[in-house]
Amino acid sequence: MPKITAKDYRVEEPIDWCPGCGDFGILSALQQALAGLNLLPHQVAIFGGIGCSGKAQYYVNAYGVHTLHGRTLPYATGAKLANPDLTVIIVGGDGDGMAIGAGHFVNAGRRNVDLTYILFNNEVYGLTKGQASPTLPLGLQTKSLPEPNIQGNVNSLMLAITSGFTWIGRGYAYEVRHLVGLMQRAIQHPGLSYLEVLQPCPTYNNLHTRDWYAGKDLEDGRSRLYLLEEDGYDPVIPPGASSEMIAAKICEFTARAQEWGDRIPIGVFLENRSVPTFEERIGKRIPTYRMAPPARRPIADEDGRTITDLSGIFAELTMA
Amino acid sequence: MNEHQKDLAWRVGGPQGSGIDTAAWIFSRAVAIAGFHLFGRREYYSNIMGRHSYFDVRVAHHPLTCHRNTVDLLTTFGSEALARHAISVVKGGGIIYHADSADEPLSRISFLDARARADLEAYLDERGLPHSTAGLLEDARRRGVQTYAVPYDEITSALAKKLDVPKAVADRTVNTIAVAVSCALLRHDPRYLIKALEKTFPGRPKVIHMNVQAIELAYEFVQTHFDTRNFDFRLIPAEKIEPRLLLNGNQAVALGKLAGGLTFQTYYPISPATDESVYLEEHSNFPTRNGAPGSVVVVQTEDEISAVTMASGAALTGARSATATSGPGFSLMVEGLGWAGINEVPLVITLYQRGSPATGMPTRSEQGDLQFVVHAGHGEFPRIVLTSGDLTEAFYDAAQAFNYAERYQVPVIHLLDKALSSTTQTVEPFDVSSIRIERGELYTPPPGGNGRGPYPRFAITESGISPRPFLGQPGGIHWLTGAEHNTIGIVTEDPVIREQMVEKRARKLELALREIPLDEKFKVYGDRDAPFTLISWGSNKGAILEAIECLQADKISARLVQIRLLWPFPKDELTPLLKSASPLVVIESNYSGQLAHLLRAQTGYGANYLIVKYNGRPMSGQEVYSALKAIYEGKSEPRVVLRNPYE
């Protein structure tokens, strides 16, 4: 079999993001990441939300599902649980995921299904022309806001860890090579992965721009972004970790997840291997789950007759 | 049953949490095991403990299709049940009550609402009786009702002593004792009751043993304290006992789904739908005919939005996928319904209607969602709406819903109601071998691998149906989107493609109307040629069938047209029946006559009479009969509201 390359994941469709949009970097990283994992395109399903980021799935040659606003996670969960052999990736924006989709985000964390959720964070609603999203800090005023942001922001990394996501990372749209590695680790992680990608919106977010992330306004002109892995940070919670260790890890995580401003960490924040996946939990209740998952379990014989045998249940219900 | 009546109406009532449901199931099993047919109806408040609930079990040697307003034998826990139901007990009937409830002022019964209390007080005033359970019992005795005071504590104390267990443990048998007292009065052989306990508590020999001892004490008590010869009603078992299933509506649907190949079910807890999913979860693993284990994955989601979208996601992979909900949940599911519509997702939604709007009456029945369901969603997209009239139909329809969903690649809504979900009934065994699984037009990938390039999932076809690949299949890559799209699923705003896609989707319903067999569209009962035409849907069927029988006894012929396919509406085949209808009577459990509106909109025929009930309770055969009789005799207004303040 010839080796899969990023080209296999490209499509002919014209891409209608604004020139200079950070989404291009994320898209390129995603195509490279999937190819690098040697996955065949048909083995991958990408679920997009509503908004600019939700269009990313059209630009990847794989099964693409453009869902409803905020509902990416349940759609993806259904597909993954029904066919656990599918590689399921979710792409969505900060408005989609942290506002209308916040309830699903929290509850997805409680399940730990083996999904990879990539959140494109540009702090604004682009496609509806620049309103503040739930990740824009209080008091900031991007150019399309008539007044400074009156609502506070959610820290999505913190929300992810309290909800139960077992892999949490952050990348930057213009650090494509680094992002490819993060995506691959997120996809390979058995369990629910959350990858936040900082993504400058060149049209509506005039505050957190590419130059701002590069630290051009800082005295030393040093990039705001630094790599966790180069800073000696260890994100791993091993299987069977003690509660003390988990508590210590969460403290370290919290300290890093709060950093914002002149120094912003990117990299892997958490890799928790101590929590069973939802698929494993189902497998305990349904021993044949992996072998015959809902998408593939035979339900009829050659004549189309149902193969379900209800005679045992009927015997319980039979009165005689 | 006695010499005047062909059936017995037994009712057990008491505070929620006191085991009314268990008592009713034990009684139901004890009579079903003896070969009786039965029809059970359950009424309860949206409350965990304390509020009044009751269960009617009607028993006969012929199939029963509905409950009766009147009661022959009432057994009560606590004074509220006595207060609420004593006046419904017929002459010659009996009331079993706790000795402690013999004289309770109505004003001291905390959950007896002001309206019910005022009504009862007025009733007692007319008869010069005190405002208390003693007054109601005295009234019952004057009307020829036998009253039986049972000192439950004495019996359970005796049981505790006999078995050397704490009194609190023996007290758990109170329900069994109540049922046993009923059975003893009805001179029902206690061995049926013992068999019923074995069915109720399988694998719990200690519990069974204790309850068997309780039965003995209860029978002994009845024989030594009451003169059973005074009691008119008795249960004489069938000569030949035919095995029948005893189950409720939620179970019938769950089993139909399993037979139909369900492999993935989602739900968010909501009355009265939840029991179906819980039952499915209890049966997550089951055998199959070819020896491979069968299974269904059941996921409790965070809300109904998640339930419907998760089920859709699963359906895209080829799983037969469903969700179950009630009106408020369906309201939330509507955005997901539209998505399934435009993406041609075969998704089954089981919808148990309850008293609405908003929270409405969560544990009471209504048929208020018909118009909503056939139109739910913004924009236009095809859906199929099925409705079942009884438990047997509910079973087969639940299985068939998947065939329709996959054949036409549309969401299918199986529209039921609380009355049917909580109906318990003996039914003839279901014939699973008659169920066929039709998966519709599927895309088969070319042998040898992964075709490059997108697959035209939404190809424009004459039938409107495009072969469907599953997510993960080689060669089938395409996109799905809530937006209008081209054949491979890419968003488009092209006016020509838009028209083609709208028309393609619409054609599927035309095909469905051509293909769906007539008796799955509607059924005709009674005298097929009678002009007196009753049109209805859903759970009212049973009451109307009984009413037709009563009319027959009066030499009045009538026919029932039971609509089973609500959308697409089978207007063409219905027209000849409507043309010959005189008068045309529409019967349904809502205020506005939603089926009557649909009928007029679709066929141009309007109802001459509308019989409706919207107090949250199902119709009884008696009330439908009375309304129809008045119509037949020309003594009725065009709109008849069925009312019963004692339900």
Side-chain angles (χ1 to χ4, degrees):
Chain A
M1 197 173 62
K3 197 170 155 46
I4 305 288
T5 68
K7 227 180 120 198
D8 291 298
Y9 280 97
R10 294 209 182 109
V11 293
E12 306 292 317
E13 283 303 307
I15 296 177
D16 66 3
W17 288 325
C18 304
C21 177
D23 288 355
F24 287 99
I26 307 175
L27 174 65
S28 170
L30 182 59
Q31 290 165 334
Q32 292 178 53
L34 292 169
L37 292 171
N38 226 27
L39 291 162
L40 291 165
H42 74 261
Q43 297 171 324
V44 178
I46 302 174
F47 287 73
I50 297 296
C52 296
S53 55
K55 295 181 175 185
Q57 45 89 28
Y58 291 116
Y59 308 139
V60 182
N61 180 48
Y63 281 98
V65 187
H66 191 198
T67 69
L68 292 161
H69 196 35
R71 315 300 173 211
T72 49
L73 277 163
Y75 274 109
T77 301
K80 180 71 182 181
L81 292 181
N83 183 358
D85 295 329
L86 207 57
T87 296
V88 179
I89 291 161
I90 299 138
V91 289
D94 35 287
D96 186 272
M98 293 295 117
I100 187 166
H104 303 307
F105 186 85
V106 170
N107 285 280
R110 295 170 51 220
R111 295 188 191 104
N112 197 32
V113 176
D114 184 13
L115 301 166
T116 302
Y117 183 16
I118 303 171
L119 186 119
F120 297 27
N121 185 6
N122 61 14
E123 304 172 319
V124 291
Y125 287 84
L127 214 46
T128 50
K129 318 254 183 240
Q131 297 79 11
S133 93
T135 52
L136 184 69
L138 175 67
L140 292 194
Q141 186 174 15
T142 56
K143 66 180 181 188
S144 60
L145 292 180
E147 297 284 345
N149 185 17
I150 197 168
Q151 304 191 60
N153 66 315
V154 65
N155 181 325
S156 72
L157 300 178
M158 295 295 290
L159 188 62
I161 195 167
T162 52
S163 303
F165 281 70
T166 50
W167 189 99
I168 299 168
R170 180 194 277 150
Y172 179 55
Y174 293 110
E175 291 285 350
V176 175
R177 193 183 294 176
H178 181 244
L179 196 51
V180 170
L182 284 175
M183 285 181 181
Q184 291 183 334
R185 280 183 70 176
I187 293 167
Q188 286 178 312
H189 171 73
L192 184 60
S193 311
Y194 173 64
L195 176 60
E196 176 192 39
V197 186
L198 303 172
Q199 176 251 319
C201 173
T203 307
Y204 291 113
N205 189 336
N206 57 321
L207 303 174
H208 298 156
T209 60
R210 197 168 180 172
D211 283 351
W212 183 81
Y213 282 114
K216 292 213 172 144
D217 59 318
L218 296 177
E219 270 178 27
D220 57 5
R222 191 178 61 148
S223 170
R224 287 188 151 84
L225 302 170
Y226 77 93
L227 299 174
L228 282 171
E229 50 269 41
E230 287 180 3
D231 208 50
Y233 178 84
D234 176 12
V236 177
I237 296 177
S242 65
S243 53
E244 291 82 5
M245 182 187 185
I246 292 172
K249 286 284 180 184
I250 290 174
C251 282
E252 288 173 41
F253 173 97
T254 304
R256 299 289 183 161
Q258 301 292 331
E259 286 185 38
W260 187 263
D262 289 354
R263 265 172 73 76
I264 299 172
I266 57 172
V268 182
F269 282 68
L270 178 76
E271 190 178 313
N272 185 352
R273 300 180 195 150
S274 71
V275 181
T277 64
F278 201 65
E279 293 90 320
E280 286 165 347
R281 297 175 215 173
I282 294 175
K284 288 216 166 122
R285 293 186 182 183
I286 301 174
T288 56
Y289 171 65
R290 286 311 295 242
M291 221 170 60
R296 287 202 309 274
R297 180 173 79 69
I299 56 173
D301 65 17
E302 316 79 64
D303 302 323
R305 288 183 308 161
T306 177
I307 61 167
T308 305
D309 179 2
L310 295 175
S311 55
I313 302 176
F314 286 156
E316 285 169 24
L317 299 174
T318 299
M319 299 297 130
Chain B
M1 278 156 273
N2 63 14
E3 54 185 287
H4 317 292
Q5 272 176 231
K6 288 193 294 183
D7 61 83
L8 167 85
W10 180 80
R11 177 174 291 177
V12 58
Q16 209 124 285
S18 64
I20 300 304
D21 205 40
T22 312
W25 276 96
I26 295 173
F27 181 79
S28 299
R29 290 184 178 116
V31 295
I33 285 168
F36 289 95
H37 294 262
L38 68 85
F39 182 95
R41 170 243 190 148
R42 185 177 173 221
E43 289 295 341
Y44 54 104
Y45 278 79
S46 179
N47 155 262
I48 297 171
M49 289 189 91
R51 285 273 184 175
H52 178 62
S53 84
Y54 67 96
F55 208 127
D56 283 334
V57 183
R58 197 175 163 198
V59 188
H61 281 302
H62 58 271
L64 290 161
T65 58
C66 61
H67 73 278
R68 176 136 69 66
N69 290 353
T70 51
V71 180
D72 301 324
L73 181 55
L74 172 69
T75 185
T76 60
F77 298 103
S79 19
E80 184 175 349
L82 193 53
R84 286 185 183 271
H85 304 300
I87 55 176
S88 302
V89 181
V90 297
K91 183 182 175 189
I95 298 174
I96 302 162
Y97 62 100
H98 197 301
D100 293 352
S101 313
D103 189 10
E104 184 81 14
L106 299 186
S107 58
R108 291 249 302 269
I109 302 174
S110 51
F111 291 128
L112 188 63
D113 47 287
R115 194 277 309 159
R117 192 176 128 196
D119 280 4
L120 286 171
E121 287 176 354
Y123 176 91
L124 290 165
D125 284 342
E126 275 174 36
R127 287 153 183 82
L129 290 165
H131 296 173
S132 64
T133 53
L136 288 163
L137 283 166
E138 178 52 26
D139 166 63
R141 285 189 281 268
R142 286 184 194 172
R143 290 188 293 108
V145 174
Q146 303 292 325
T147 58
Y148 304 103
V150 178
Y152 287 100
D153 282 337
E154 278 178 31
I155 301 177
T156 56
S157 295
L159 180 67
K161 209 174 148 195
K162 190 173 168 188
L163 294 178
D164 194 22
V165 294
K167 170 84 164 45
V169 172
D171 281 343
R172 290 180 207 150
T173 63
V174 158
N175 293 298
T176 305
I177 294 169
V179 171
V181 169
S182 294
C183 288
L185 285 170
L186 294 163
R187 284 155 283 180
H188 196 43
D189 193 324
R191 72 194 159 95
Y192 296 120
L193 203 41
I194 293 167
K195 270 193 177 175
L197 287 172
E198 287 163 357
K199 279 270 181 198
T200 307
F201 304 108
R204 294 168 70 187
K206 275 190 188 161
V207 175
I208 295 169
H209 177 70
M210 182 166 75
N211 281 279
V212 169
Q213 302 300 310
I215 290 173
E216 277 179 20
L217 290 174
Y219 268 72
E220 236 172 76
F221 177 83
V222 170
Q223 274 140 21
T224 51
H225 292 79
F226 304 138
D227 184 358
T228 54
R229 283 168 309 174
N230 272 350
F231 189 55
D232 224 12
F233 291 86
R234 57 176 59 204
L235 289 173
I236 300 161
E239 280 171 19
K240 187 164 180 285
I241 295 173
E242 306 277 354
R244 292 189 195 94
L245 301 176
L246 174 65
L247 75 174
N248 69 21
N250 290 123
Q251 291 172 316
V253 172
L255 293 171
K257 283 182 167 177
L258 291 181
L262 173 78
T263 60
F264 194 83
Q265 164 109 350
T266 59
Y267 77 106
Y268 183 73
I270 188 167
S271 296
T274 313
D275 288 355
E276 181 204 305
S277 298
V278 171
Y279 190 72
L280 282 169
E281 192 164 1
E282 280 171 24
H283 295 92
S284 292
N285 295 285
F286 49 84
T288 65
R289 283 193 298 107
N290 66 7
S295 60
V296 56
V297 171
V298 180
V299 183
Q300 181 186 329
T301 59
E302 57 272 26
D303 54 34
E304 287 88 351
I305 295 168
S306 178
V308 73
T309 52
M310 197 181 288
S312 270
L316 296 177
T317 69
R320 281 203 154 182
S321 180
T323 186
T325 191
S326 176
F330 186 75
S331 287
L332 290 177
M333 288 184 181
V334 169
E335 64 163 356
L337 179 74
W339 195 93
I342 197 169
N343 283 293
E344 311 189 29
V345 182
L347 168 74
V348 172
I349 302 174
T350 313
L351 171 48
Y352 297 90
Q353 300 164 95
R354 68 188 212 189
S356 279
T359 306
M361 295 206 290
T363 62
R364 309 294 180 178
S365 200
E366 188 170 276
Q367 297 179 321
D369 300 351
L370 186 155
Q371 289 283 353
F372 175 45
V373 164
V374 301
H375 302 298
H378 50 279
E380 298 170 300
F381 58 91
R383 87 284 307 271
I384 288 176
V385 183
L386 310 174
T387 181
S388 311
D390 57 40
L391 266 52
T392 303
E393 286 177 9
F395 172 80
Y396 293 106
D397 291 348
Q400 184 69 319
F402 292 105
N403 287 340
Y404 289 159
E406 291 201 315
R407 201 197 297 169
Y408 305 110
Q409 300 180 13
V410 291
V412 173
I413 300 150
H414 188 191
L415 190 58
L416 303 157
D417 59 28
K418 178 263 162 185
L420 198 65
S421 80
S422 65
T423 288
T424 53
Q425 211 178 346
T426 44
V427 297
E428 298 308 313
F430 299 140
D431 177 16
V432 179
S433 70
S434 71
I435 292 174
R436 286 290 177 280
I437 300 218
E438 298 165 45
R439 307 225 51 189
E441 289 188 46
L442 301 179
Y443 163 74
T444 314
N450 179 31
R452 179 80 169 103
Y455 175 80
R457 160 72 186 97
F458 302 103
I460 306 291
T461 60
E462 209 176 311
S463 64
I465 292 163
S466 327
R468 180 170 77 101
F470 302 146
L471 298 188
Q473 261 184 331
I477 285 178
H478 63 272
W479 289 268
L480 295 128
T481 170
E484 191 55 277
H485 45 261
N486 63 15
T487 58
I488 60 168
I490 297 292
V491 176
T492 182
E493 295 179 21
D494 182 311
V496 175
I497 298 178
R498 165 67 175 176
E499 281 175 15
Q500 288 174 339
M501 284 294 167
V502 169
E503 290 161 7
K504 166 195 136 66
R505 292 191 291 265
R507 281 200 292 279
K508 298 196 287 186
L509 282 194
E510 294 166 23
L511 181 72
L513 267 184
R514 285 198 299 276
E515 288 185 346
I516 293 176
L518 188 63
D519 70 346
E520 289 180 32
K521 290 176 178 160
F522 58 83
K523 281 186 184 165
V524 183
Y525 295 89
D527 179 356
R528 290 191 68 90
D529 300 319
F532 194 4
T533 304
L534 324 173
I535 299 197
S536 191
W537 62 288
S539 64
N540 312 317
K541 176 187 174 185
I544 300 169
L545 289 180
E546 184 169 292
I548 286 179
E549 265 183 44
C550 297
L551 289 171
Q552 270 166 358
D554 297 342
K555 308 269 186 262
I556 302 169
S557 288
R559 60 181 169 175
L560 165 65
V561 182
Q562 178 214 356
I563 308 291
R564 289 169 41 66
L565 181 66
L566 287 166
W567 198 266
F569 198 73
K571 52 188 169 206
D572 291 343
E573 289 110 324
L574 268 176
T575 303
L577 292 167
L578 299 170
K579 214 182 266 178
S580 61
S582 174
L584 177 58
V585 185
V586 175
I587 306 172
E588 48 189 321
S589 293
N590 55 49
Y591 174 80
S592 60
Q594 297 193 12
L595 176 66
H597 283 295
L598 189 66
L599 195 67
R600 188 191 278 276
Q602 291 285 314
T603 69
Y605 286 92
N608 303 114
Y609 294 90
L610 185 62
I611 300 176
V612 290
K613 186 169 182 181
Y614 43 86
N615 68 359
R617 278 70 166 175
M619 295 176 185
S620 72
Q622 284 168 307
E623 30 183 34
V624 176
Y625 162 69
S626 306
L628 291 174
K629 187 100 191 280
I631 288 171
Y632 184 80
E633 289 167 352
K635 293 180 194 157
S636 175
E637 295 292 316
R639 180 184 156 84
V640 184
V641 182
L642 304 182
R643 298 198 158 94
N644 177 357
Y646 299 108
E647 290 185 284

